[in-house]
Amino acid sequence: MTVLLAPRLPDPTVTISGVRFAAERLQDRARVDALVDEAFGPGRFAKTSERVREQAPARLDLSICAWAGEELLGAVRQTPVRIGDTPALFFGPIATRADQRGHGVGAGLTMRACEVGAAAGETVVILIGAISFFQPLGFERVPEGRVSLAWPTDYARLLWRPLTANALDDVAGALSPRV
Ligand SMILES: CC(C)(COP(=O)(O)OP(=O)(O)OC[C@H]1O[C@@H](n2cnc3c(N)ncnc32)[C@H](O)[C@@H]1OP(=O)(O)O)[C@@H](O)C(=O)NCCC(=O)NCCS
């Protein structure tokens, strides 16, 4: 008899220089929310990124927390979206604890989130953020006119990264939730 096993994502947990990067669990949600609130303040709810995230839930298995023991150092979430017909991951929010910045946790979270997305078969990560932080991590500006959002958007901050070769070649259209 043949038994088909459902595909299972590899455990995303890795430890680098004493920092453990692991998928967000349900019980982490309140701590991640508190960290993000502290990093961005109440103004974050006015952001276009929040409008996108209101449309569909983040995927916890593709959202990463950085831990030192039981201490949460930082976190990033990823939400499934489409660009035109192409599935993509909407990256963010990303935040690291104020007293932990500049030690590589933000870069580690970004790289791990992309690796875990790629392992899940995703091909494109898109976000609204600072090019100065994300360009060294493989992101580039979305060419003008390729992607449209339904809300007022600073398109100079719309960045994407391919997770496989040539993944961006034919991607264009409106960004919409993938539910
Ligand atoms: C942005 C943030 C997540 C970076 O986290 P971090 O743990 O300090 O990041 P890292 O230590 O991995 O920094 C990686 C590199 O990015 C640089 N960097 C850090 N924050 C940056 C920022 N806001 N803009 C530009 N570059 C930045 C660092 O100097 C470092 O450069 P180096 O490798 O040449 O030293 C953190 O500052 C944060 O939580 N900020 C508040 C929330 C926020 O603004 N998030 C969204 C950003 S678009």
Side-chain angles (χ1 to χ4, degrees), residues 9 62 78 89 111-125 161-164:
L9 285 181
L62 304 182
Q78 300 199 92
L89 288 175
M111 299 312 284
R112 197 65 197 132
C114 290
E115 287 163 5
V116 168
E122 299 287 338
T123 58
V124 178
V125 176
R161 180 190 154 163
L163 299 179
T164 56

Side-chain angles (χ1 to χ4, degrees), residues 58-152:
R59 268 195 54 183
L60 286 193
D61 57 337
L62 304 182
S63 299
I64 306 294
C65 292
W67 300 94
E70 294 305 309
E71 270 189 75
L72 182 63
L73 305 183
V76 62
R77 285 178 170 147
Q78 300 199 92
T79 302
V81 294
R82 286 184 198 283
I83 303 167
D85 293 332
T86 307
L89 288 175
F90 191 75
F91 177 105
I94 181 169
T96 56
R97 230 173 64 187
D99 62 353
Q100 297 291 332
R101 293 184 188 153
H103 299 297
V105 173
L109 284 166
T110 306
M111 299 312 284
R112 197 65 197 132
C114 290
E115 287 163 5
V116 168
E122 299 287 338
T123 58
V124 178
V125 176
I126 189 164
L127 60 83
I128 300 172
I131 186 82
S132 50
F133 178 70
F134 287 105
Q135 193 167 38
L137 302 171
F139 287 79
E140 61 190 73
R141 283 205 172 93
V142 174
E144 206 180 325
R146 285 276 290 279
V147 178
S148 59
L149 277 77
W151 304 273

